Amino acid sequence: MLYIIGLGLGDEKDITVKGLEAVRRCSHVYLEYYTSVLGADRGKMEAFYGCKIIEADREFVESGCDAMLEQAKTEEVAFLVVGDPFAATTHTDLYLRAVQNGAKVQVIHNASIMNAIGACGLQLYRFGETVSIPFFTETWRPDSFYDKILSNRRAGLHTLCLLDIKVKEQSMQNLLRGRKVYEPPRLMTV
């Protein structure tokens, strides 16, 4: 069984009771940490959850998790994500791959930015399409998010803008040279 468990948005104690019970039953616990940032370090999580946690970076999740999916066929395995499991397409893809691989999957939801945005005082039903704003490079400056913001504005709707983060990313130079050298983490600010 593969449990895909949302951790919420705060720290190690934001996990739901159902999520914590599942984690404590699992023989392997993985933490995806590249689509969002959690306000807790792995040591505190391990102490509170009572288990060892294996970090799962982009490379692991997108192309190296076959062993985890095999484990989930015969063991209980947890895959922890910041926020809610289905707030990122990466996690939907993992769910589909696990099912196609013959593993049973249970999703345990939690709070995400998609509903926590209500804390700013704006009504959730007045939000239009959410957009992601990526880091630009010297040769890549996408602007498709702008049209969506404009469309929402014209309709009198708010826009939730998800700002890019870079965690364990390679520079283009290192990527092209096949070097496993990673840039320091970066958060986009406004």
Side-chain angles (χ1 to χ4, degrees):
M1 169 73 77
L2 176 64
Y3 296 96
I4 304 177
I5 302 171
L7 296 177
L9 298 171
D11 58 25
E12 71 277 4
K13 294 181 180 177
D14 277 356
I15 191 170
T16 65
V17 173
K18 185 185 287 186
L20 184 58
E21 289 172 346
V23 165
R24 290 182 174 165
R25 286 194 306 270
C26 289
S27 53
H28 306 281
V29 178
Y30 297 87
L31 171 64
E32 184 274 297
Y33 69 94
Y34 76 90
T35 60
S36 193
V37 178
L38 184 66
D41 66 25
R42 194 174 76 196
K44 286 183 178 180
M45 294 173 71
E46 288 176 338
F48 187 71
Y49 300 162
C51 64
K52 182 180 180 307
I53 295 174
I54 304 159
E55 289 186 356
D57 60 13
R58 178 185 298 272
E59 184 177 347
F60 175 87
V61 176
E62 293 181 355
S63 59
C65 66
D66 292 341
M68 179 184 74
L69 298 178
E70 284 299 314
Q71 291 167 343
K73 289 181 178 179
T74 58
E75 304 173 63
E76 291 188 291
V77 176
F79 184 78
L80 310 177
V81 304
V82 178
D84 186 78
F86 290 143
T89 55
T90 298
H91 308 136
T92 303
D93 177 67
L94 179 67
Y95 175 93
L96 294 173
R97 283 188 285 152
V99 170
Q100 290 168 350
N101 197 45
K104 293 181 180 176
V105 182
Q106 181 179 349
V107 176
I108 301 174
H109 296 281
N110 206 324
S112 79
I113 192 62
M114 301 303 283
N115 53 20
I117 191 64
C120 72
L122 301 175
Q123 297 299 313
L124 292 177
Y125 61 86
R126 298 293 307 154
F127 275 85
E129 190 171 355
T130 298
V131 300
S132 294
I133 301 177
F135 280 108
F136 292 169
T137 67
E138 290 180 19
T139 59
W140 186 68
R141 297 180 67 84
D143 60 5
S144 58
F145 62 87
Y146 180 76
D147 292 332
K148 293 176 184 177
I149 294 171
L150 185 59
S151 176
N152 287 343
R153 175 108 172 128
R154 287 180 176 151
L157 300 173
H158 310 299
T159 304
L160 173 59
C161 298
L162 304 175
L163 304 180
D164 202 1
I165 64 171
K166 298 288 184 188
V167 179
K168 198 176 177 185
E169 298 276 338
Q170 291 175 281
S171 68
M172 187 57 70
Q173 184 180 29
N174 286 328
L175 186 64
L176 292 173
R177 292 183 177 172
R179 296 188 306 202
K180 297 281 183 177
V181 176
Y182 300 99
E183 300 292 309
R186 295 187 300 155
L187 302 175
M188 185 182 285
T189 59
V190 291

